[in-house]
Amino acid sequence: MCGIIGILSDYPVGDYLIEGLKRLEYRGYDSAGIAVLQDHKIQVLRTVGAVNKLEQSYAASPFVGNVGIAHTRWATHGGVSEKNAHPHLSCKGDVAVIHNGIIQNYSELRQRLQNNGHIFRSDTDTEVAAHLLEDELGSGKSLLQAAIAIAKELRGEYALVFMLKDFPDKMIAIRKSSPLLIGVGQNENIVSSDALAFLDKTNRAIFLEDESIAIIGKKDIEVYTFSGQRRKLHAIELAAEFSLPDKESYEHFTIKEIHEQPEVIAKVLEQEPGSFTLFRKEIERAKRIFIVAAGSSFHASLLGRSYLSEYAGIYSDVVLASEYKSVAKWFDDDCLILCVSQSGETMDVIEAAKTAKQNGATVISIVNRSPSTLEKTSDAVVRLNIGAEVGVAATKSFTAQAFLFYAVAKGNMQAHDAVELKGAMTEVLRHEAMIAKLSDIISRSKDVYYLGRGLNYAIALEGALKLKELAYMHAEGLAAGELKHGPLALIEKGTPLFLINPEDDTYEETLSNGVEVKSRGGMLIGLSTKPSVHYDFFVRLPEVRREFYPIVESIPLQLLAYYSAKVLNKDVDRPRNLAKSVTVK
Ligand code: G6P
């Protein structure tokens, strides 16, 4: 996590860095900072809170300089405080560093540096890098030699960018696992975690390969391996999908993205025939299939497993990316790993993909953002094609992933499927005002439960996750049959329970589970095609074919989470403590 940006230019860079940070904020937003080389001195400003706090402080006393770095943080080591915000300086203030990732051996390095007289001013893992570089350069090493020495010392995963008082026309960037790329401009170069930060300046970018060191000037870029071999540079032209997203007339990106779903669902079918055929072929060839994902992508993968089982007759296993090691011994030549990730940057998913590749398995990734580290690690990639998703909580990527799985399981890309879904999604969105009112009631509750069976179980999990992420409310998604194995004890008078219950083969049994809750005083909210006297509130689902119900059901639950967050005055697009791209383990 964390967003980093550094720039060397002919013009003052301060305002530009702040603008860049705003576009990187989806990567973390608990504190932010900027450092600019001004009059042979590194000037630093750091603030707690989102980038607009930094912007306000910076506007009051801006720096003037043509070289600078900036950072928006998602705290790992060291609490959320000004002293732990990046950039961090070395003792003499000659080296400033920004970092995305985790330096695992920072404690021992810190101890050693402190024993040698270095004074630390933060609790972060990052600060060791500034002190180490100060020592290496102090011993007379060149920039490259010093960077190689640091790369040898640091364990973990990191994207580091250093600004140097004594080398005002150069920056050092070091990449291990965490993403880092360089925007190649006219007489200026920009290094960042994401091209979004520099797209308005240039769409030519060099994606640094893993384990690379870059020595960056205004007009020149040299890239080396960790052993000092020069790498060939390939600048690529970035595609339109990198265009900067716009909220249009919506109050938040999240609600805009919820509303986009009927329009973008058909885009999922815009696949190159080759990649779709390969996907199908690999699914049929593999003796074992593991679907690996995190968060909402995991929930979409649960649906994916059911679709593959029902419509392709193929058994697969779904594994939480952070738990992939428990099945890694089964990753071999006969195995297909489907990595599902909106961002393509989730560290746990990437690690699973790398392990799978090392063990000879085939890796196909399903991503939205592109290019991404995950797709570079995979044998093949299938893209959702639904445009940038900015809201931290996944919405349109979830429904798109589910639909893609459906199309793959069916083995064909039928335009009329997308038309049917579009109609149903549009219809269910008409309940928005009613759900907004319902959110007033739900947001007063201590706990909220979601119940579903079969295909609808994944939506119970996803509905609960949305409410946690957006409204910070305790919510649990349950398999309907599990209710009586414990959770029923939690039902009190007025406890809200969403019964996800379209008229499919699970209808009767699930309704009975709802009645059990009602009999114990719970408040029952039915999401169904059919009203029931047992429901205290009813959200009517449009009739669609059975396999599409889950995709449609997820939309009212997204709306519920969104409006509950609004009632509770939460930061909808940027929920506290979360980030859109989880680039640490
Ligand atoms: C974060 C986001 C979630 C997302 C998860 C997986 O936790 O806040 O909304 O579902 O990461 O992200 P991915 O990009 O791998 O789908």
Side-chain angles (χ1 to χ4, degrees):
M1 355 260 285
C2 299
I4 66 182
I5 177 171
I7 176 165
L8 301 105
S9 175
D10 278 336
Y11 302 100
V13 294
D15 291 343
Y16 186 74
L17 285 169
I18 306 259
E19 284 308 310
L21 280 191
K22 285 189 198 161
R23 295 185 212 134
L24 295 174
E25 241 184 338
Y26 73 89
R27 305 179 70 86
Y29 34 77
D30 60 44
S31 54
I34 180 170
V36 172
L37 200 52
Q38 174 179 299
D39 301 331
H40 310 293
K41 189 167 186 287
I42 297 177
Q43 301 284 357
V44 181
L45 178 70
R46 301 178 298 193
T47 52
V48 171
V51 176
N52 63 346
K53 291 277 181 347
L54 180 73
E55 187 177 26
Q56 284 159 17
S57 303
Y58 181 78
S61 54
F63 305 138
V64 183
N66 300 350
V67 178
I69 55 178
H71 185 271
T72 179
R73 182 170 188 240
W74 185 87
T76 57
H77 293 66
V80 177
S81 63
E82 194 185 317
K83 73 168 181 179
N84 289 333
H86 302 211
H88 295 288
L89 290 175
S90 61
C91 292
K92 293 187 207 142
D94 295 354
V95 175
V97 66
I98 48 176
H99 170 215
N100 167 33
I102 292 177
I103 297 169
Q104 276 156 4
N105 57 335
Y106 80 102
S107 301
E108 59 192 78
L109 292 171
R110 184 178 172 120
Q111 194 58 59
R112 194 185 79 202
L113 287 157
Q114 279 174 330
N115 292 345
N116 293 340
H118 284 271
I119 312 270
F120 279 74
R121 301 187 191 93
S122 77
D123 310 318
T124 63
D125 53 335
T126 305
E127 196 183 339
V128 294
H131 295 284
L132 280 175
L133 191 66
E134 183 175 85
D135 273 1
E136 297 296 348
L137 292 173
S139 71
K141 289 195 174 121
S142 68
L143 295 185
L144 177 61
Q145 285 167 341
I148 291 172
I150 289 194
K152 285 208 174 101
E153 291 267 26
L154 301 180
R155 286 208 309 272
E157 53 279 340
Y158 46 84
L160 291 160
V161 178
F162 298 91
M163 188 170 77
L164 312 154
K165 189 193 93 167
D166 297 330
F167 300 85
D169 53 352
K170 294 281 182 237
M171 264 180 204
I172 301 174
I174 313 182
R175 177 191 173 197
K176 183 161 179 245
S177 295
S178 306
L180 200 58
L181 65 164
I182 303 171
V184 185
Q186 287 278 332
N187 270 359
E188 63 184 1
N189 286 318
I190 307 133
V191 57
S192 180
S193 320
D194 188 329
L196 276 181
F198 55 70
L199 257 186
D200 53 341
K201 279 198 182 276
T202 178
N203 68 342
R204 290 189 66 223
I206 297 168
F207 284 77
L208 291 180
E209 284 176 54
D210 200 16
E211 306 210 342
S212 286
I213 293 169
I215 311 291
I216 308 164
K218 223 169 32 180
K219 297 182 187 166
D220 50 296
I221 300 162
E222 292 167 14
V223 180
Y224 299 87
T225 63
F226 277 7
S227 50
Q229 251 87 53
R230 188 99 179 241
R231 286 196 195 273
K232 281 208 178 112
L233 298 187
H234 305 285
I236 60 164
E237 304 278 325
L238 296 173
E241 65 213 63
F242 265 90
S243 58
L244 300 172
D246 179 1
K247 239 189 282 179
E248 293 164 14
S249 55
Y250 289 97
E251 191 181 347
H252 297 104
F253 278 109
T254 304
I255 190 70
K256 178 185 172 229
E257 287 155 8
I258 291 172
H259 276 271
E260 273 173 3
Q261 292 175 103
E263 285 310 316
V264 298
I265 200 72
K267 303 254 180 210
V268 172
L269 302 183
E270 289 173 11
Q271 302 292 339
E272 284 170 27
S275 73
F276 185 70
T277 316
L278 175 90
F279 196 167
R280 261 310 288 207
K281 231 173 79 194
E282 281 301 323
I283 283 176
E284 281 158 20
R285 179 199 66 89
K287 292 214 175 100
R288 280 181 296 284
I289 300 176
F290 291 99
I291 312 175
V292 180
S296 296
S297 298
F298 174 75
H299 297 154
S301 301
L302 292 175
L303 273 178
R305 173 174 61 186
S306 301
Y307 288 148
L308 287 175
S309 165
E310 286 194 33
Y311 304 112
I314 287 168
Y315 175 77
S316 58
D317 201 355
V318 188
V319 187
L320 278 170
S322 54
E323 292 291 329
Y324 86 89
K325 284 182 186 153
S326 59
V327 293
K329 69 171 178 182
W330 300 102
F331 294 179
D332 61 18
D333 310 16
D334 292 331
C335 190
L336 171 66
I337 313 294
L338 295 176
C339 290
V340 186
S341 172
Q342 187 284 134
S343 62
E345 299 296 345
T346 299
M347 180 62 77
D348 290 321
V349 182
I350 293 167
E351 198 181 284
K354 282 184 180 162
T355 307
K357 289 279 292 167
Q358 277 158 15
N359 295 1
T362 303
V363 177
I364 297 183
S365 55
I366 299 174
V367 298
N368 188 37
R369 286 293 310 272
S370 174
S372 66
T373 309
L374 180 60
E375 65 178 89
K376 285 179 196 301
T377 318
S378 309
D379 294 294
V381 59
V382 184
R383 301 199 178 89
L384 299 180
N385 300 322
I386 55 167
E389 186 179 70
V390 179
V392 163
T395 52
K396 63 176 178 173
S397 64
F398 173 78
T399 46
Q401 288 163 342
F403 185 46
L404 179 65
F405 266 118
Y406 172 78
V408 170
K410 278 291 212 184
N412 53 33
M413 294 277 174
Q414 300 281 0
H416 63 81
D417 288 342
V419 172
E420 183 177 349
L421 260 180
K422 178 182 175 172
M425 286 172 149
T426 309
E427 206 174 321
V428 86
L429 274 166
R430 295 201 183 107
H431 299 317
E432 185 167 8
M434 186 270 243
I435 291 169
K437 277 199 197 124
L438 184 60
S439 305
D440 275 341
I441 301 165
I442 298 301
S443 57
R444 282 182 235 136
S445 311
K446 187 163 62 72
D447 312 292
V448 184
Y449 296 92
Y450 297 74
L451 222 63
R453 200 183 229 94
L455 290 174
N456 309 303
Y457 169 47
I459 304 307
L461 296 175
E462 178 60 8
L465 178 63
K466 285 291 93 70
L467 198 68
K468 286 182 228 182
E469 287 177 298
L470 292 180
Y472 316 162
M473 289 175 66
H474 173 247
E476 268 189 61
L478 301 165
E482 278 298 292
L483 184 70
K484 48 194 156 314
H485 298 295
L488 201 51
L490 299 165
I491 301 297
E492 294 172 359
K493 192 167 181 316
T495 304
L497 185 138
F498 284 83
L499 200 72
I500 306 168
N501 198 21
E503 284 170 285
D504 62 11
D505 47 320
T506 68
Y507 179 79
E508 294 295 342
E509 284 172 353
T510 306
L511 187 61
S512 302
N513 297 131
V515 176
E516 286 154 19
V517 169
K518 190 77 205 271
S519 313
R520 286 158 179 88
M523 180 208 297
L524 208 56
I525 306 117
L527 261 72
S528 183
T529 37
K530 188 175 173 187
S532 159
V533 287
H534 303 295
Y535 296 151
D536 296 289
F537 295 93
F538 175 55
V539 179
R540 185 183 287 279
L541 297 173
E543 280 181 24
V544 275
R545 73 184 85 162
R546 168 187 170 273
E547 54 267 33
F548 285 168
Y549 278 128
I551 301 180
V552 177
E553 288 154 4
S554 63
I555 294 180
L557 300 180
Q558 294 167 353
L559 288 170
L560 179 93
Y562 173 78
Y563 282 103
S564 300
K566 271 186 48 124
V567 173
L568 297 168
N569 214 9
K570 306 300 182 209
D571 189 343
V572 180
D573 284 339
R574 297 174 307 185
R576 72 176 176 205
N577 305 337
L578 304 181
K580 186 84 186 147
S581 262
V582 181
T583 58
V584 292
K585 279 191 256 170

